[in-house]
Amino acid sequence: VSAAMDRIKGAYSLVIMSPQKLIAVRDPHGFRPLCIGRLGDGWVFASESCALDGIGAQFVRDVRPGEIVIADKGGLRSITTHCGQCPRSLCVFEYIYFARPDSVIDGSCVHTARQRAPEHPVQADVGIGVPDSGLDAALGYSKQSGIPYGVGFIKNKYIARTFIQPEQSQREKSVNIKLNTISSTIRGKRVVLIDDSIVRGTTCAHIVKLVREAGATEVHMRVSAPPFLNPCYFGTDVDSRENLIACSHTIPEIAQIIGVDSLGYLSTDSVTKLAEGGEGFCTGCFTGEYPVEVPEKKAKFRFERGLSEKE
């Protein structure tokens, strides 16, 4: 495992089991979370602390970036030779979308982090969040702006997340089944709609349409992430640049496409301050600056210098 870590570059959190050992590994950048729990006399590893709560295990600590943790008959021990080799680069989208709000990642509560997200105040009557990851951000926006928080959607608990479905037709069908508006919250009101991100824009436009049909007089959208401008190479299903709406349209154009009266994104400076500590995040999908060299940059380097594939 240690030798493999010398060769593998990128994002990984692993749990490896043999008849005698349980081994947990987190990549030296710490792209993805991994934590340690104690259950009676045994040890538990999970990607999020909420999984430990679900089985009655006690959270012990996070696996450090680059650390190999071994649980065997002798107890718990770790190998730290790969720790500190790289700058910490936790995927900031864990706090925006991936993680459950009741998890604590690297010492920061996800629920609290999401409430720090919204920006761009506007005159409105009610603020509502798109379930699930937009709810905490909407609550934070309400606290910061003084606009009353309302429950605008009821979510079907038996449908998977639409962000990670590959086909647009699948995403649209899932949104129809997934969300239903509460018209008494929305009808006749100026609504601030809070969501975690806009990727392609089509699913977002459908959600805005639901709010319009429920009787909103105005819809102002606020996004708890910066615009997606680059693909992700480390496990997030962010599409190629030609399919990212922010790559080909201005913010006013996106607002018109999705059907809102105004649109505001979280700034790239603010996104790195969501969690306590405010540093050590990968924001490549927003900024184009990646902690690890990616294939496209290698190809561009070769092209600009007239090099062959072998060179």
Side-chain angles (χ1 to χ4, degrees):
V1 172
S2 181
M5 292 178 70
D6 292 329
R7 300 182 63 183
I8 300 172
K9 307 298 180 185
Y12 55 88
S13 284
L14 311 176
V15 178
I16 306 164
M17 187 158 53
S18 76
Q20 302 296 329
K21 297 177 182 178
L22 187 60
I23 305 170
V25 188
R26 191 175 178 189
D27 74 80
H29 287 276
F31 280 102
R32 300 294 165 194
L34 192 62
C35 65
I36 307 169
R38 190 72 189 262
L39 184 61
D41 294 331
W43 297 97
V44 183
F45 300 101
S47 59
E48 293 186 43
S49 62
C50 64
L52 305 180
D53 301 331
I55 61 170
Q58 181 182 3
F59 173 80
V60 176
R61 65 175 179 87
D62 293 285
V63 177
R64 295 171 56 194
E67 185 179 15
I68 303 172
V69 182
I70 305 103
D72 55 21
K73 292 181 179 179
L76 197 73
R77 56 192 174 90
S78 70
I79 300 171
T80 60
T81 52
H82 292 87
C83 295
Q85 290 185 351
C86 308
R88 180 179 177 271
S89 302
L90 176 69
C91 172
V92 76
F93 213 56
E94 292 285 349
Y95 288 108
I96 296 169
Y97 177 79
F98 279 132
R100 266 182 32 174
D102 51 337
S103 284
V104 177
I105 299 176
D106 288 343
S108 294
C109 174
V110 175
H111 170 73
T112 303
R114 287 180 182 161
Q115 290 188 54
R116 299 189 180 106
E119 296 178 331
H120 307 287
V122 67
Q123 295 294 321
D125 302 307
V126 65
I128 63 174
V130 178
D132 283 318
S133 43
L135 298 179
D136 292 329
L139 181 60
Y141 189 90
S142 176
K143 290 179 178 179
Q144 295 171 29
S145 66
I147 297 171
Y149 171 80
V151 178
F153 295 99
I154 293 296
K155 179 186 175 185
N156 184 334
K157 298 178 181 179
Y158 306 104
I159 189 73
R161 284 180 149 181
T162 56
F163 175 95
I164 58 176
Q165 293 178 333
E167 299 296 329
Q168 179 57 30
S169 59
Q170 291 177 299
R171 291 190 292 270
E172 289 181 358
K173 289 178 182 178
S174 294
V175 170
N176 285 332
I177 301 171
K178 178 180 178 179
L179 297 177
N180 194 27
T181 55
I182 300 178
S183 57
S184 59
T185 301
I186 297 170
R187 186 182 298 115
K189 295 178 182 177
R190 300 168 296 174
V191 175
V192 181
L193 180 65
I194 315 292
D195 204 355
D196 56 75
S197 58
I198 301 176
V199 183
R200 306 161 191 91
T202 46
T203 302
C204 180
H206 190 73
I207 293 173
V208 173
K209 182 181 178 183
L210 292 178
V211 177
R212 294 280 191 192
E213 291 174 347
T217 58
E218 297 177 11
V219 182
H220 303 273
M221 187 156 196
R222 299 297 179 262
V223 185
S224 59
F228 278 110
L229 296 172
N230 305 278
C232 175
Y233 301 91
F234 309 111
T236 303
D237 186 22
V238 178
D239 217 330
S240 57
R241 287 179 59 86
E242 58 265 25
N243 293 324
L244 298 176
I245 192 171
C247 288
S248 55
H249 297 87
T250 65
I251 291 178
E253 288 173 343
I254 297 172
Q256 184 176 9
I257 291 169
I258 66 176
V260 295
D261 295 281
S262 71
L263 173 63
Y265 287 90
L266 188 69
S267 67
T268 52
D269 287 338
S270 295
V271 77
T272 58
K273 299 174 183 175
L274 290 180
E276 296 174 10
E279 58 186 39
F281 295 110
C282 176
T283 58
C285 52
F286 308 129
T287 64
E289 297 296 324
Y290 301 102
V292 177
E293 188 177 15
V294 297
E296 286 186 349
K297 291 202 171 186
K298 289 182 180 179
K300 182 180 178 182
F301 178 87
R302 287 194 300 267
F303 175 79
E304 289 175 345
R305 289 158 179 78
L307 302 177
S308 67
E309 288 295 323
K310 290 183 179 180
E311 293 175 302

